[in-house]
Amino acid sequence: MNNFTINHGVCEGIVVGKVFAPSEDIAIITVRVRDYRIRPNTQKQTISYIQFTAFDDLAKELVKEDREDNLIYLNYEITTSKKTDENGVTKFYKNRIIKSFEIFDKPEDKKLIPYINSGFAQGSFVSLKRATKSTGIYFLTIKLVAKDGMKEKIYYPQFTIYGDKFATLFEKFNTDDIISVTYKIETEKKIIDGSEEFFTDYIVTEIK
């Protein structure tokens, strides 16, 4: 089994709100990014509000900076986790972990804001499934392996594919084959059973 993994993303956008620090070693920041893709349901350009998490010294530095409405450039990795509540219900989470960042003054002209939203993941092919309630939407799962000292941490991020342009590519992939995915992050708010729920998707832009 080949455990060769690349896991790297870059984001540049505007800091939204204050940094949230549930403890001195954890800090969560929200970044607003704009994309030129038109959402089919709204016919508007995509604006996403993406949460990133920093730990330890980076978390303390992020809290110290805490420059709302300024420009931030950050490098991150994607991970996955799960939690089971007291009723035995398990929820799965997509995490974006900050590896480094810089904060700058925001340009006065909004047209000059250099939005960046791009990630690259190379790991092992796990599965490709078609969305059951929509046509032309697929969910790709790959395996990423990270070193944590002498231990390995394994993550299974899921990516969303719109359209059939990549469909023929998957005929050549078998389980554990190496696959490379370039993606961008999109978020969306939906009303489900009368309550607001927020979703974060990794949208595939290229596959090799």
Side-chain angles (χ1 to χ4, degrees), residues 63-167:
V63 170
K64 183 179 179 180
E65 289 280 352
D66 201 5
R67 292 166 60 184
E68 182 179 358
D69 202 38
N70 275 278
L71 187 67
I72 188 170
Y73 175 91
L74 57 84
N75 294 281
Y76 68 90
E77 292 181 349
I78 56 175
T79 68
T80 55
S81 59
K82 62 181 180 180
K83 292 182 179 179
T84 303
D85 63 20
E86 62 276 7
N87 298 317
V89 178
T90 300
K91 289 188 176 182
F92 295 87
Y93 299 90
K94 299 175 180 178
N95 314 305
R96 291 152 298 281
I97 309 302
I98 297 174
K99 309 305 291 184
S100 65
F101 74 90
E102 293 186 55
I103 296 181
F104 308 92
D105 292 334
K106 182 178 69 173
E108 292 185 6
D109 187 345
K110 293 182 179 180
K111 295 180 181 179
L112 298 179
I113 297 175
Y115 293 109
I116 300 174
N117 179 7
S118 181
F120 180 80
Q122 182 171 285
S124 303
F125 177 79
V126 176
S127 66
L128 177 71
K129 298 180 180 180
R130 187 190 300 269
T132 56
K133 297 182 180 180
S134 302
T135 58
I137 299 177
Y138 301 84
F139 300 114
L140 166 68
T141 301
I142 71 173
K143 173 185 173 183
L144 299 177
V145 180
K147 291 288 186 180
D148 184 14
M150 298 297 294
K151 298 180 179 179
E152 287 186 343
K153 289 186 176 180
I154 299 176
Y155 307 114
Y156 293 94
Q158 185 181 82
F159 301 86
T160 302
I161 300 172
Y162 288 112
D164 298 313
K165 62 179 180 179
F166 297 119

